[in-house]
Amino acid sequence: MVCMPDSPLTLLHLSLSHTSYSLTPLTLSLLSLSYTMDTLLDRWHTTFGSEAPEVTVRAPGRVNIIGEHTDYNEGWVLPGAMSRSIYILVSKKPTRGHHWIAYDLDEEIESLEDIFEYGEYPWAKYIEGAIRLYAPEIGPLRLLVGGDLPVGAG
């Protein structure tokens, strides 16, 4: 499958034979996309109240189409976006401390301080690292991470 650059939801199926190839449009259901966002927004409002997140980000998973040993032998690799994604909903927290949720892992971190206390949660280390590197003065955050991309894929 190949993702068309003008739309992350328009995919083509690449069929190869010995002598030719063809591209066929695939029909994707938007149901999983809206179901995922509805689910995450429900959790957001249940946990943080009626105020909407200030920022919502979608990061699609990716797939690499490669042949045997081509990626490290200067061969061609064809990366593409998947229809499955990770979503991050975030707002600044008006009070001290962070409140982060990994919806798919059913894990939640609350810190009463404006420091990062991720403890046993490795997923929080990535978020902490990005904040420390790019926005160390951002302050306390309410953050919800979830999606329909399987853990360890994409």
Side-chain angles (χ1 to χ4, degrees):
M1 286 184 266
V2 180
C3 181
M4 297 300 291
D6 59 333
S7 171
L9 296 176
T10 303
L11 296 180
L12 298 175
H13 181 262
L14 177 62
S15 300
L16 298 172
S17 71
H18 294 290
T19 58
S20 66
Y21 69 91
S22 65
L23 294 173
T24 310
L26 292 176
T27 304
L28 293 179
S29 169
L30 296 178
L31 181 60
S32 80
L33 178 64
S34 65
Y35 173 76
T36 302
M37 278 306 299
D38 289 345
T39 303
L40 293 175
L41 284 171
D42 285 347
R43 175 63 190 268
W44 178 273
H45 293 303
T46 300
T47 305
F48 301 124
S50 61
E51 189 176 313
E54 293 174 23
V55 176
T56 300
V57 178
R58 175 183 174 260
R62 69 178 234 160
V63 61
N64 281 330
I65 301 172
I66 64 173
E68 285 295 316
H69 312 289
T70 59
D71 53 337
Y72 54 84
N73 283 320
E74 300 181 28
W76 294 87
V77 177
L78 178 63
M82 297 171 57
S83 61
R84 294 180 176 239
S85 302
I86 296 294
Y87 300 89
I88 302 171
L89 291 70
V90 64
S91 288
K92 288 190 175 185
K93 190 173 177 213
T95 58
R96 293 182 59 87
H98 296 276
H99 191 169
W100 298 353
I101 299 169
Y103 182 82
D104 301 317
L105 300 176
D106 196 28
E107 295 179 348
E108 194 165 337
I109 300 170
E110 284 189 80
S111 169
L112 299 177
E113 302 297 324
D114 289 340
I115 60 171
F116 302 98
E117 297 177 3
Y118 51 77
E120 300 294 318
Y121 305 109
W123 59 269
K125 293 178 184 180
Y126 292 100
I127 298 166
E128 177 200 7
I131 290 171
R132 286 186 189 266
L133 185 62
Y134 297 110
E137 303 300 323
I138 197 165
L141 297 174
R142 295 181 293 195
L143 186 131
L144 174 63
V145 178
D148 58 358
L149 184 66
V151 175

